[in-house]
DNA sequence: CGCGATTTGTGCGTGTCTTCACAAGCGCTT
DNA sequence: AAGCGCTTGTGAAGACACGCACAAATCGCG
């Protein structure tokens, strides 16, 4: 993990105390709070109560307060939180005060969509390079960026100080791509390929698998169906399901 | 199927036991085990030890055993797990024995990619209908499916017994789409729009926000940078940070 | 038939996350 | 200035998840 932060660009050298080590669960929620706060700011709100912000972010208000308390107290009792201040705080903690460059590898079906997804740019990330191994795709221009061959990956990643690599290749290619990203100094990887990546210590990998999400939902569908099929049998079923008419699930198949 | 296990009576070994309520964390890992198992099956393996399967899935072996024990014991001590049997078990528990139909709403940048993503079909999900509100997109054919207008959503969802709705619209439209899905009897929603959905009890929502993933990675980048920048801040930094290469060593740190 | 090698299943200690409940603090009003 | 209503911040308890370590079970072999 070679830290290739250019020494000439120090981050916010002042104000904020040393970066606290937040619970992982808190970190995962901060972006959600941030999004809700931006909505509030656009609507002209200057302060917000924990109750309000919590519902906007879809969480319990006590949890929200505890989360925010981890970054130092920036609320005013009896009033709430200053929206603008809180935005600054969260953006600082998340490291969004400096725009991070992203390299996207694999410009297939999904990669193409990611390259054109404007949600990245609007939230502080700049896709700086695209890569693919297919010679047909190399050279193609997407959103003003030319697709380069994956052989250049390590070199370009180093040159452009890529902070985050996004892998949108087939599973078979993902590990090789990850190795090249690491070799290029990248220490954060977002993996869309359905496989487990092996990386050195100090490199963070997050995995997003769309089919996995569907499978988790499928489990809950299955469970709900089996609950309605077996009414009370010693165990109290949860709620009587208010509007569960629908008749979506005729009978759950049992065989293979 | 409405049989409930009578106390004392032995379970039918062939018929599947009553659906256990698994810990949520376990459910989230089962798809990963399933993927690894399919890989093993393709390579001709008939049994697998917990150690092997655990590394293939990127988890601790004790955790894997405990997860599997929740679905009833299907391993043989001294030998391991029967790959085919375990696949059947997990697929049953996840409700994948019956193919679930998916409706995809929003055929923009991301939605287009999802419609063409073959990872869904290969893992038991069939996209049965596409919807959009843009009249220009309505009528377009993608992968053999014609995009319908979102006004038809509720009706079609009911008619086609849609099990899962996928929302890939802008945030502003997502809640309206969710309402229509619910009205059409859909009880599971996968939401790609960056907003919180409000749904009745009994409806499950999972959210995937690509920008959030990047922001979480950004936090860790920030933390890593501040650690190397401020070596002595009262806390001892983790490892002395070995050289950047050392490509393949499975001492991996699981990023989740 | 018994023994050793192997691997599962799980009890238990530990740590993390969540939630409740309430004291402390702030501003507004009188 | 004092009181009051409102909201934050947090201690404590409960719920959940994790991983170790070991007993129980199974197979293969002599």
């Amino acid at each position: 993990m070679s830290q290739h932060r250019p020494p000439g660009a120090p981050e916010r050298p002042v104000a904020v105390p040393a970066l606290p080590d937040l619970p992982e669960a808190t970190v995962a929620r901060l972006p959600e709070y941030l999004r809700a706060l931006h909505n509030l700011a656009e609507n002209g709100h200057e302060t917000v109560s924990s109750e309000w912000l919590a519902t906007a972010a879809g969480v319990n208000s006590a949890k929200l307060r505890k989360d925010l308390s981890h970054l130092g107290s920036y609320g005013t009792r009896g009033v709430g939180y200053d929206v603008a201040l809180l935005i600054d705080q969260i953006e600082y903690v998340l490291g969004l005060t400096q725009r991070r460059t992203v390299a996207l590898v694999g410009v297939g079906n999904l990669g193409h969509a990611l390259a054109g997804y404007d949600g990245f740019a609007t939230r502080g990330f700049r896709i700086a390079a695209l890569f693919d191994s297919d010679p047909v795709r190399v050279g193609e221009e997407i959103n003003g960026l030319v697709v380069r061959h994956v052989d250049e990956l390590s070199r370009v990643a180093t040159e452009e100080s890529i902070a985050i690599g996004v892998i949108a290749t087939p599973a078979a290619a993902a590990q090789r791509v990850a190795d090249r990203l690491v070799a290029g100094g990248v220490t954060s990887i977002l993996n869309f390929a359905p496989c487990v990546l092996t990386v050195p210590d100090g490199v963070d990998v997050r995995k997003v698998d769309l089919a996995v999400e569907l499978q988790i939902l499928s489990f809950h569908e299955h469970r709900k169906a089996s609950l309605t099929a077996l009414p009370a049998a010693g165990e109290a079923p949860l709620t009587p399901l208010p509007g569960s008419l629908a008749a979506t699930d005729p009978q759950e198949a049992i065989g293979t």
Side-chain angles (χ1 to χ4, degrees), chain A residues 60-80:
Chain A
N60 179 306
S61 75
K63 183 152 58 178
L64 177 120
R65 287 199 298 276
K66 187 150 286 187
D67 282 344
L68 295 186
S69 79
H70 284 125
L71 12 139
S73 304
Y74 286 90
T76 309
R77 298 174 187 226
V79 177

Side-chain angles (χ1 to χ4, degrees), chain A residues 11 19 88-100 124-125:
Chain A
E11 303 182 8
L19 201 55
D88 282 351
Q89 261 303 304
I90 296 181
E91 287 190 341
Y92 169 74
V93 169
L94 289 181
L96 302 176
T97 50
Q98 74 171 69
R99 174 162 287 238
R100 307 205 176 258
F125 297 93

